[in-house]
Amino acid sequence: MGEQAPDGTEEQAKAAKSKPVKAVPGAASGAASATAGGKDAKNTAPRTAKKVTSAKVTSAKTAAKKMTPAKKAAAKAVAKTDDEKAVGKTAAKKSVGKTGSKKAVGTAGSKKAASDEASAGKAASVRPVAAPPRNESHTALVRRARRINRELAEVYPYAHPELDFENPFQLIVATVLSAQTTDLRVNQTTPALFARYPTPEDLAEADPEAVEEILRPTGFFRAKTKSVIGLSKALRDDFGGEVPGRLEDLVKLPGVGRKTAFVVLGNAFGRPGITVDTHFQRLVRRWRWTAETEPDKIEKAVGSLFPKSDWTMLSHHVIFHGRRICHARKPACGACPIAPLCPAYGEGETDPEKAKKLLKYEKGGFPGQRLNPPQAYLDAGGRPAPPLGAG
C-alpha cells in the first residue's frame, strides 16, 4: 500500500472537480465590451436624438394644453401676421421684378425705336434706284442708255476733249502722249514741245535726246519720243505734212490706234467717233450697256445704241462723268445724278455728304485738266489747270 494523503486533501480535490469554473470578472467583461462597443456607439446617437425630439414634442404638447384660450388666440394672431408679412414680401419682390422687366422692355423699346428712326432717316437720304431687269430687251436698253446720255448732257453741257490743242497736228501728238498718264500732265508738257517743234517737219528732224528731255514728265518718254518723231515723219513723207481725215489713214500712223483716230476725227474734223478709253470701258459695263471687254467690240456694241451723230459728245459725257463722279475705286454714288438709272448703284459711297467729298475737278471745286479750257467750261465754274511746276 502507498502512503495516505494528509487529512481533507482528497475530499477537497473531488469538490474542486465537481464545481464549475467561474470566469474572471476583468478579462471576460473586457472582451465582451470590446466586441459590443461598436454596436452600442451606433445605436446610442439615434436613440438619444429620438428621446430629445420626443421630449420636445411632449413638452410642446403639454405647453399647448396648459395654454389658456387667450394665449392661444394671441399665438394664432402672431402666426397669421408672420404669414401676411411673408406673403407681402413675396408680392413686393414680384412687383419689383415686374416693374424692372417693364423698365427693361421700355428701355429696349426706346432704343429700338431710336434705331429705327435713324435707319429710316438714313434710308430717306439714299436715292432710290430702279435697277434694270435681268432680261432687259434691246429696246428697253436703248431707251435707258439714251436717257442716261441726255441726263449727262444736262450735267456736263460744257463737256469737251481735255487736251489743249490748236490744230489737228497738236491734237494727234497730244493724244499719243496721253497714254499711261493724265491729260493734265500732257497739257503741262506740250507747250514747250510745240514751241520748239511747231510743225510735223520740225518734229521729224528733231534730236531724239532733246525730245526725250521735254517728254520726260509724261512717263515712258523714250517710247513716246520714238512714236511722235515717227508720226511726224509719216505725215511729212506720206501726207504732205497734213493730218489725214480718214480712219483708215490715221490708223496707219505710228502710235495711232482707233481710240486716237476717233479723238482726232471727232474733235479736229467734226466726224463722229466713239472714244473707248479706260473710263468709257468701265462705265458702260457698270451701266450694263455691254458685257464686252475688248475696245473694238465695246465700240461696236455701244455704237448700236445711239445715232452716229451722238457718238462724239457721248464719249465726252461718259469720260467726264467717269473722271468726276463715277471713279474706278470709289464712285460717288450718293452724289450721282443718274443713280436711279444705274444698275451698279451702291458699289461706291451712297451717303450724300460723304459722296460730295469724292467729287473731282469743277464738281469738287478744283482746277480742271486744261491750261486753256473752252469759255463754256469757265462760265460753268471751271478753273484752268496750273502750268508745269506751278503746283
Side-chain angles (χ1 to χ4, degrees), residues 48-107:
T48 306
K50 287 180 181 179
K51 288 180 180 179
V52 172
T53 304
S54 61
K56 286 184 178 180
V57 172
T58 304
S59 61
K61 288 181 178 179
T62 305
K65 288 179 180 179
K66 290 181 179 180
M67 285 177 66
T68 61
K71 287 184 178 181
K72 286 183 180 180
K76 286 182 180 180
V78 171
K80 186 177 181 182
T81 304
D82 290 341
D83 291 341
E84 288 177 352
K85 285 182 179 180
V87 172
K89 287 181 180 180
T90 305
K93 286 181 181 179
K94 288 183 179 179
S95 176
V96 171
K98 288 181 180 179
T99 306
S101 301
K102 288 181 181 179
K103 286 182 178 180
V105 171
T107 306

Side-chain angles (χ1 to χ4, degrees), residues 210-228:
V211 177
E212 285 179 2
E213 194 59 33
I214 295 174
L215 300 183
R216 185 179 292 272
T218 65
F220 303 97
F221 56 91
R222 291 188 179 88
K224 290 179 179 180
T225 296
K226 185 177 180 180
S227 293
V228 297

Side-chain angles (χ1 to χ4, degrees), residues 322-380:
R323 287 175 171 171
R324 285 150 178 80
I325 297 178
C326 197
H327 313 305
R329 294 184 179 178
K330 198 172 185 181
C333 295
C336 181
I338 61 167
L341 302 172
C342 181
Y345 178 84
E347 287 187 8
E349 181 57 65
T350 56
D351 182 85
E353 294 302 320
K354 293 180 180 179
K356 285 181 182 179
K357 297 178 181 179
L358 301 174
L359 304 182
K360 294 184 178 179
Y361 304 117
E362 76 283 355
K363 293 301 180 183
F366 304 105
Q369 297 202 78
R370 291 187 65 166
L371 277 64
N372 299 298
Q375 188 60 44
Y377 180 74
L378 299 175
D379 292 343

Side-chain angles (χ1 to χ4, degrees), residues 152-169:
L152 294 178
E154 294 182 6
V155 177
Y156 309 107
Y158 46 80
H160 58 273
E162 294 190 275
L163 290 170
D164 284 326
F165 69 98
E166 296 177 356
N167 54 58
F169 171 65

Side-chain angles (χ1 to χ4, degrees), residues 42-384:
K42 288 181 181 178
N43 297 327
T44 302
R47 289 175 182 173
T48 306
K50 287 180 181 179
K51 288 180 180 179
V52 172
T53 304
S54 61
K56 286 184 178 180
V57 172
T58 304
S59 61
K61 288 181 178 179
T62 305
K65 288 179 180 179
K66 290 181 179 180
M67 285 177 66
T68 61
K71 287 184 178 181
K72 286 183 180 180
K76 286 182 180 180
V78 171
K80 186 177 181 182
T81 304
D82 290 341
D83 291 341
E84 288 177 352
K85 285 182 179 180
V87 172
K89 287 181 180 180
T90 305
K93 286 181 181 179
K94 288 183 179 179
S95 176
V96 171
K98 288 181 180 179
T99 306
S101 301
K102 288 181 181 179
K103 286 182 178 180
V105 171
T107 306
S110 301
K111 288 182 179 179
K112 186 177 180 182
S115 176
D116 291 343
E117 288 179 5
S119 300
K122 191 172 183 180
S125 66
V126 177
R127 310 181 70 141
V129 181
R134 292 183 179 179
N135 298 323
E136 186 177 35
S137 67
H138 181 73
T139 301
L141 172 60
V142 169
R143 290 174 179 171
R144 184 170 60 87
R146 293 184 181 184
R147 183 179 174 187
I148 288 176
N149 187 40
R150 290 194 299 271
E151 296 283 346
L152 294 178
E154 294 182 6
V155 177
Y156 309 107
Y158 46 80
H160 58 273
E162 294 190 275
L163 290 170
D164 284 326
F165 69 98
E166 296 177 356
N167 54 58
F169 171 65
Q170 291 186 359
L171 179 57
I172 195 170
V173 170
T175 306
V176 170
L177 296 177
S178 67
Q180 304 299 317
T181 191
T182 63
D183 288 356
L184 171 61
R185 184 61 69 195
V186 173
N187 293 333
Q188 292 174 330
T189 304
T190 51
L193 179 69
F194 296 140
R196 189 166 181 178
Y197 311 105
T199 66
E201 291 82 3
D202 296 326
L203 191 53
E205 298 296 330
D207 177 14
E209 292 185 359
V211 177
E212 285 179 2
E213 194 59 33
I214 295 174
L215 300 183
R216 185 179 292 272
T218 65
F220 303 97
F221 56 91
R222 291 188 179 88
K224 290 179 179 180
T225 296
K226 185 177 180 180
S227 293
V228 297
I229 291 179
L231 166 68
S232 299
K233 287 180 178 180
L235 292 175
R236 179 196 64 187
D237 299 341
D238 301 332
F239 298 99
E242 299 293 332
V243 176
R246 297 193 312 164
L247 176 64
E248 54 269 28
D249 293 331
L250 288 169
V251 294
K252 293 178 183 178
L253 299 171
V256 178
R258 290 180 68 86
K259 185 194 83 170
T260 299
F262 281 127
V263 169
V264 174
L265 289 173
N267 297 285
F269 295 100
R271 295 174 184 174
I274 295 178
T275 304
V276 184
D277 71 348
T278 56
H279 301 289
F280 194 93
Q281 292 183 49
R282 180 178 72 254
L283 267 62
V284 298
R285 284 198 295 269
R286 276 183 178 169
W287 296 335
R288 295 183 190 171
W289 288 2
T290 180
E292 300 292 348
T293 57
E294 297 179 18
D296 292 357
K297 292 182 179 180
I298 291 174
E299 175 196 324
K300 183 178 180 180
V302 175
S304 68
L305 304 177
F306 297 89
K308 194 172 182 178
S309 58
D310 290 349
W311 287 359
T312 299
M313 288 309 299
L314 168 69
S315 301
H316 292 326
H317 295 154
V318 175
I319 293 171
F320 253 62
H321 191 62
R323 287 175 171 171
R324 285 150 178 80
I325 297 178
C326 197
H327 313 305
R329 294 184 179 178
K330 198 172 185 181
C333 295
C336 181
I338 61 167
L341 302 172
C342 181
Y345 178 84
E347 287 187 8
E349 181 57 65
T350 56
D351 182 85
E353 294 302 320
K354 293 180 180 179
K356 285 181 182 179
K357 297 178 181 179
L358 301 174
L359 304 182
K360 294 184 178 179
Y361 304 117
E362 76 283 355
K363 293 301 180 183
F366 304 105
Q369 297 202 78
R370 291 187 65 166
L371 277 64
N372 299 298
Q375 188 60 44
Y377 180 74
L378 299 175
D379 292 343
R383 293 157 53 190

